Each structure stands twice: as C-alpha cells, then as structure tokens.
Amino acid sequence: METMVYEIRRANETDLPQIKKLQESSYYSKVSDFDKVKEGFVSVESDISLLRTINKDIGILIAEVHNKLVGYEMPLGYEHAIQIPLLDPFVKRFTELDYEGQKIREYQWVIEGQINIEKEYKRKGIAEVLHKNFVNILQGKYDLIITEISDQNPRSLNVHTKKLGLSVVDEYQAEGRNWYVLLQDIRTDK
C-alpha cells in the first residue's frame, strides 16, 4: 500500500479558485442527504474577494497531494464574519458567552470558518494535520478558536470533538437549525 504524501502550506492567490471550487462542491444545498450525514458539508460560501482578504489578513491553510489541492482550513476574524449574514446569530451569541470567568469577547479569538477535505481524501488524517498546523500558526496571536456546527452535520461535529480537540460550550437555534458552539483554548501557557 502506497503511503500518501501531502503538503500543508499557506494558500497563495492561485489557490483561491480551487478553494472556492471545493467549497462549492461541499456546500449544504449541493450535497446529498446521505453525504451530509456520512461526509459532512459546509454552510457558508465565500466569494473570491473575501477569500483573498482572509488569506491576506490571517492566512488560509491548504493540503495538497501531488500538487492537487485536497483540503483547506480557513479562519475568520470578526471583520470577515460580519460580512456573512448566516453568521450573525453565531457572532452575537458567542461573544456573550463566558469562558473561565470572563466573556469570550475579552479574549483574542478567531473563528474556524471552515475545515474542508475533498471526499476521497477524508479519513486519511489530513484534517488532523491541517488543524495542528492551523493551531501552530495562530498560537501567540489568539487565545481561542471558536466555531459553530449544525446538528445536521454530525460528521463535522464528531471530527471537531474527537479528532481536532474542540469542545462544545453552547447550543442554540437559528435559521431553522440547531447549532453547537465549539471552542479550543490554544494559549501556550495553559
């Protein structure tokens, strides 16, 4: 059996259309009900302009196999999140939550906007390595990584809590769905 060799690196301008294409193919409305449960999905689509801004401001990480983009992990700062209407209830909710005796908004935080692996490359450890690198580049700049996952996306919830190290800290309803708020403390002095 051949060992898969993949590279994790920061995205560049030429990667953005490939990120957009993978994002579109994984978007909630384009994934079958069966694959929503088995493979997961993404809830937010971003245009190239927003991807470019995110990559410039914080950096999107990609995974490549034989020079083919097979996955990415994308952070969102507050200034990015407020451009995505679907995230309004989430941003309002989590900034009011308490963590270790203070409001989350009082920490340096970043949203894990998406982690997305191409279907045939899932279950090969890429998400775990991608996220470890994601955490490494964010440590020292941020205290917390926070995200939300729909209850209609059990695959993503399982990966985040069992493989990536995030914990559920809240649940709420919005946009006709139930959502879990997840958090990972990435402070190096913890």
Side-chain angles (χ1 to χ4, degrees), residues 58-186:
I58 306 174
I60 300 171
L61 284 187
I62 66 164
E64 286 183 317
V65 174
H66 303 299
N67 296 317
K68 176 187 177 192
L69 187 141
V70 299
Y72 65 88
E73 189 162 11
M74 177 176 66
L76 296 172
Y78 177 78
E79 65 280 6
H80 310 122
I82 61 173
Q83 296 179 50
I84 303 169
L86 179 69
L87 296 181
D88 287 346
F90 168 58
V91 171
K92 288 175 186 164
R93 178 110 184 164
F94 87 75
T95 57
E96 292 303 316
L97 291 176
D98 288 326
Y99 178 68
E100 293 188 344
Q102 64 186 52
K103 298 287 184 201
I104 287 176
R105 70 174 174 263
E106 296 172 23
Y107 292 90
Q108 294 297 316
W109 53 267
V110 66
I111 298 170
E112 185 225 27
Q114 290 176 347
I115 185 166
N116 191 1
I117 309 297
E118 198 170 290
K119 186 176 178 177
E120 64 260 29
Y121 292 93
K122 291 184 179 190
R123 298 172 186 83
K124 299 185 184 306
I126 294 173
E128 293 91 325
V129 174
L130 192 58
H131 188 70
K132 181 179 180 186
N133 281 270
F134 185 74
V135 168
N136 286 342
I137 66 165
L138 297 175
Q139 279 181 321
K141 299 174 194 162
Y142 299 97
D143 302 323
L144 308 174
I145 295 173
I146 193 151
T147 194
E148 71 173 347
I149 299 173
S150 162
D151 67 348
Q152 297 171 353
N153 200 346
R155 167 102 176 114
S156 183
L157 184 62
N158 184 58
V159 168
H160 278 81
T161 57
K162 304 252 188 306
K163 296 183 178 185
L164 304 184
L166 284 84
S167 301
V168 175
V169 294
D170 189 39
E171 296 177 40
Y172 72 100
Q173 292 185 330
E175 305 291 328
R177 299 186 208 173
N178 294 320
W179 296 91
Y180 297 99
V181 177
L182 290 86
L183 181 141
Q184 184 175 24
D185 191 327
I186 62 169

Side-chain angles (χ1 to χ4, degrees), residues 20 23-24 27 30 42-47 50 84 114:
K20 177 72 175 148
Q23 186 182 65
E24 287 173 348
Y27 188 62
K30 296 182 180 171
V42 298
S43 297
V44 172
E45 286 185 285
S46 310
D47 61 29
L50 182 56
I84 303 169
Q114 290 176 347

Side-chain angles (χ1 to χ4, degrees), residues 49-63:
S49 175
L50 182 56
L51 291 174
R52 183 176 294 116
T53 301
I54 294 165
N55 197 43
K56 181 177 123 317
D57 293 350
I58 306 174
I60 300 171
L61 284 187
I62 66 164

